[in-house]
Amino acid sequence: MKSKTIGDYVDLQRGTTYKSALLDQPGPYLLGLGSIERDGGFRSDKLKTYGGPSADKLLVYPGDMYVSLKDVTQSGDLLGSIARVPSTIKVGRMTQDTVKLCFKSEIPQNYFYWLLRTPQYRQHCRSHATGTTNLGLSRDDFFSFPIPELTERRKSITALLEDVESKMVLNTQTNQTLEEMAQTIFKSWFVDFDPVKAKMNGEQPEGMDEATAALFPDQLVESELGLIPEGWNIKSIKDFGKVITGKTPPQEIDCAYSESGVPFITPTDIDSDVFVANTKRFLSESGVEAVKKNLLPEGSICVTCIGSQMGKTVIAPSVSASNQQINSIVTKKRYVRNFLFLNLRRRREEIFLIGSSGSTMPIINKSTFEKLKVVAPAEIILKTFDEIMFPLLDKIYQNAFENQMLSTLRDTLLPKLLSGEIDLEG
C-alpha cells in the first residue's frame, strides 16, 4: 500500500501582504517569518497587531498550525518550519510569507505537528530548497514528505513531546511574570522615585518597611538628567565595571569552533530571555586561545550594539565569548550587576536611538557605550534592592536551565518519532 504524505492530510491557505501604516493598531497578530522559531516552534518576541482588513480565510486561532515555504537566508532554518498558535494569541493573521494548514483528512494534529519538527523533515525541506538569495520550497515538495502510520510507540513519543513543550512554555511564562515583577519594583525605586516622593509628602512608602524607607532621602534635586533623589549620583557605565567588546576568532585559526566548549554569543543568540540559554556555536581550545583577552566571566551583562537588535540585554550564565557586535560589562559585585542589568534591560529603545544617530547601520561603539549615563543610588540601597531581586532572578535562571535540559530531551526524542527506536518503558 502506498504510504501517505503531507499532501494527503492538508491543504494550504497562503497569506497576503499588508499595509505597514496599519501596524500596531487593534486587530489580529501578524504571523510572518518572525513568529516562527528556527527549525519550528512559535516565537512571540516580535509580534505586532494589524488594524487593516483580514479575510476570514487568513485568520488562525489557538491550536491552528502554519508554515513558512520561504527563507530569506541561506541557512534554510525557516524553510518549511511549522508553528502552532498558542492560547495567548486569540487570533492571528497570515502574511505573504506564511501559509495556514487546513486539515482535510483525520490525523492526530499533535502527531502531525511533531513530525514537522523532526530533523528528517527539516532535512527534506533543505534538500528540496530552490533559489539562491532567498530560498523557496514548492507546494509539491512540501506535500511529498511521507507521514508514517501512528503506532502506539509513536503515540507515546508524541505525548512525551507535548509534556516537554508544555513545561517549557510554563517556565517561559513564569519567567516573564518574574521579570515583570522585578521591573515593576525597579521602576518604582529608580525611575519614578516613589519612596522619595512618598516621604516628601510625609507618607510611608507603600509596601515598604520602615527600615528600607529610611534608606531613601526625602528630597529631589536638579541634575543633568533632571530631578533625582538627593545624595544620588550620575554615573557612566564604565563606573560600574569593565566594558569588553567581543572578538571573532581570525579566519586563519583552524577548528576555532566545536560542538561543545565555551559558548560563543552573537546577536542572533539573544532573544527575550534574561539569560543566554543556548548558542549556535561554541569555541574550541584554539578558538578560546585566540580571543582569551575578550573572554567574559560568568554573570557578564551582554548588550547588542549594532543592527536591528541593538540594545538587547542579557546575562551570560557561564564563562563565554562574544563577537564584536556585543559590548559586555563585567562587574565585581552581584548587587551592582543585577541593578545595572535591569537598568539597561528597560532602556533598549534609548540605546537604539543613541546608536541610530547619523548612521545607516545603527551602531554604538565601546566609547559611546561606556559613557551612557545611569542614576546611581547609595550602595546600601543597591544591596537592599538585591535582597529582593536575587531570588527572582535566580528562579528565572533555574527555569531557563531546566528549559535547556528539556530542549535537549526534545531534540533527542524528535528523530525517534519516525524511527520508533526508543524504549519508553525502561
Side-chain angles (χ1 to χ4, degrees):
M1 183 177 69
K2 180 182 177 182
S3 61
K4 291 190 174 182
T5 64
I6 287 177
D8 292 314
Y9 292 103
V10 300
D11 282 327
L12 301 181
Q13 173 57 58
R14 185 174 294 277
T16 61
T17 57
Y18 56 89
K19 296 180 179 179
S20 58
L22 298 176
L23 290 175
D24 293 323
Q25 295 187 13
Y29 285 97
L30 279 179
L31 301 181
L33 293 182
S35 68
I36 305 177
E37 292 282 5
R38 298 183 187 87
D39 295 323
F42 186 79
R43 183 176 183 179
S44 62
D45 63 333
K46 293 186 176 181
L47 297 182
K48 292 181 178 293
T49 55
Y50 181 63
S54 298
D56 288 344
K57 65 182 181 180
L58 302 179
L59 301 179
V60 289
Y61 302 90
D64 286 345
M65 302 177 202
Y66 60 100
V67 299
S68 163
L69 297 185
K70 65 178 294 185
D71 196 344
V72 295
T73 71
Q74 287 296 300
S75 67
D77 291 344
L78 287 176
L79 191 65
S81 291
I82 186 170
R84 182 166 51 182
V85 182
S87 59
T88 52
I89 303 297
K90 301 307 178 186
V91 58
R93 179 197 188 278
M94 297 294 95
T95 72
Q96 70 275 18
D97 297 325
T98 51
V99 293
K100 177 170 65 172
L101 300 184
C102 304
F103 285 85
K104 61 184 183 181
S105 299
E106 287 293 326
I107 185 174
Q109 293 188 16
N110 290 345
Y111 173 57
F112 187 91
Y113 169 75
W114 286 110
L115 282 176
L116 270 62
R117 295 286 303 272
T118 62
Q120 296 96 324
Y121 165 75
R122 300 298 306 124
Q123 180 56 40
H124 170 86
C125 294
R126 291 184 174 96
S127 65
H128 289 83
T130 60
T132 53
T133 303
N134 295 331
L135 300 180
L137 181 68
S138 73
R139 291 168 65 98
D140 289 342
D141 287 334
F142 171 71
F143 283 149
S144 69
F145 184 76
I147 302 295
E149 179 186 358
L150 179 56
T151 62
E152 288 301 317
R153 180 155 293 185
R154 290 191 174 105
K155 286 182 182 178
S156 298
I157 297 174
T158 299
L160 270 178
L161 288 166
E162 286 290 309
D163 289 343
V164 167
E165 182 165 90
S166 294
K167 179 57 177 171
M168 292 176 69
V169 169
L170 178 60
N171 284 344
T172 299
Q173 292 173 342
T174 299
N175 282 359
Q176 290 171 348
T177 300
L178 291 172
E179 187 183 357
E180 288 173 3
M181 293 169 58
Q183 286 291 0
T184 296
I185 299 172
F186 182 94
K187 183 174 184 291
S188 175
W189 285 28
F190 304 120
V191 179
D192 297 335
F193 310 130
D194 289 335
V196 178
K197 292 176 180 177
K199 293 179 71 172
M200 290 172 63
N201 294 329
E203 301 169 353
Q204 173 69 21
E206 184 177 355
M208 183 176 288
D209 59 57
E210 291 186 7
T212 302
L215 302 176
F216 288 82
D218 57 8
Q219 295 281 342
L220 293 174
V221 296
E222 288 287 350
S223 77
E224 61 182 292
L225 297 181
L227 290 173
I228 66 171
E230 185 179 37
W232 291 21
N233 299 309
I234 305 297
K235 293 187 176 181
S236 301
I237 293 293
K238 63 182 179 181
D239 296 323
F240 290 90
K242 182 181 179 181
V243 175
I244 297 176
T245 300
K247 179 181 179 181
T248 299
Q251 292 185 354
E252 59 266 22
I253 300 294
D254 292 331
C255 303
Y257 303 101
S258 60
E259 294 184 359
S260 62
V262 173
F264 185 69
I265 305 169
T266 68
T268 57
D269 298 313
I270 297 176
D271 52 28
S272 59
D273 293 335
V274 167
F275 295 91
V276 182
N278 294 291
T279 58
K280 292 187 292 296
R281 292 190 293 180
F282 297 84
L283 293 184
S284 64
E285 289 185 7
S286 59
V288 170
E289 179 65 23
V291 301
K292 61 182 179 181
K293 293 182 180 180
N294 303 76
L295 283 178
L296 305 175
E298 174 184 341
S300 298
I301 303 170
C302 303
V303 184
T304 57
C305 289
I306 189 171
S308 62
Q309 297 193 70
M310 188 166 63
K312 281 192 172 184
T313 304
V314 292
I315 295 174
S318 62
V319 174
S320 305
S322 77
N323 70 2
Q324 58 271 30
Q325 296 179 340
I326 294 174
N327 284 324
S328 301
I329 310 106
V330 180
T331 62
K332 294 182 179 180
K333 304 291 185 181
R334 188 191 73 196
Y335 61 84
V336 174
R337 181 201 71 186
N338 289 344
F339 165 79
L340 187 60
F341 166 74
L342 291 169
N343 182 293
L344 292 171
R345 182 85 162 175
R346 62 177 290 107
R347 297 171 66 183
R348 184 186 177 191
E349 290 187 7
E350 176 188 345
I351 294 172
F352 187 86
L353 290 173
I354 292 173
S356 296
S357 178
S359 175
T360 54
M361 170 65 77
I363 185 171
I364 180 169
N365 58 33
K366 178 181 177 181
S367 176
T368 302
F369 181 71
E370 286 181 326
K371 297 174 184 176
L372 191 66
K373 301 297 184 182
V374 177
V375 178
E379 186 176 39
I380 185 61
I381 294 179
L382 291 182
K383 291 180 178 179
T384 303
F385 177 70
D386 190 61
E387 291 175 2
I388 302 171
M389 289 301 105
F390 177 71
L392 299 181
L393 294 177
D394 186 58
K395 179 60 177 174
I396 290 175
Y397 172 74
Q398 297 300 329
N399 287 342
F401 182 71
E402 182 178 30
N403 272 4
Q404 189 174 13
M405 293 190 296
L406 289 170
S407 176
T408 300
L409 173 60
R410 179 197 63 203
D411 293 345
T412 301
L413 288 171
L414 277 171
K416 311 300 182 183
L417 189 57
L418 282 172
S419 69
E421 298 171 358
I422 186 169
D423 183 4
L424 298 172
E425 299 177 357

